[in-house]
Amino acid sequence: MGLREIAFGGIYLSPMLLYALLGFASALLIRAVLHRLVGSMRPWFEAWFDTALFVVCTAAIAYLASASVGIL
């Protein structure tokens, strides 16, 4: 997919919107797994951890999507 705009119903959308949605879903999944493993002991500040996890997941998805374009 890369970073080219996607035409959807005559409206151009940035692929970063899709990457951000996928990053948010994966961050929620990872946080749920970590909460289940660690339990109620929270060794992190929740808001900072959630934000950082979202940014890392979104960046990883964007990198993998742009790297896959080079393979095709």
Side-chain angles (χ1 to χ4, degrees), residues 15-29:
M16 284 302 293
L17 176 65
L18 178 62
Y19 299 158
L21 291 175
L22 290 173
F24 182 70
S26 62
L28 284 178
L29 179 68

Side-chain angles (χ1 to χ4, degrees), residues 45-68:
F45 297 102
E46 288 185 63
W48 287 108
F49 180 77
D50 291 339
T51 303
L53 187 61
F54 167 71
V55 169
V56 168
C57 288
T58 303
I61 290 170
Y63 175 75
L64 291 174
S66 65
S68 67

Side-chain angles (χ1 to χ4, degrees), residues 27-44 49:
L28 284 178
L29 179 68
I30 291 171
R31 190 181 193 300
V33 169
L34 285 175
H35 182 69
R36 189 169 199 85
L37 291 176
V38 175
S40 63
M41 298 182 323
R42 294 186 181 118
W44 56 75
F49 180 77

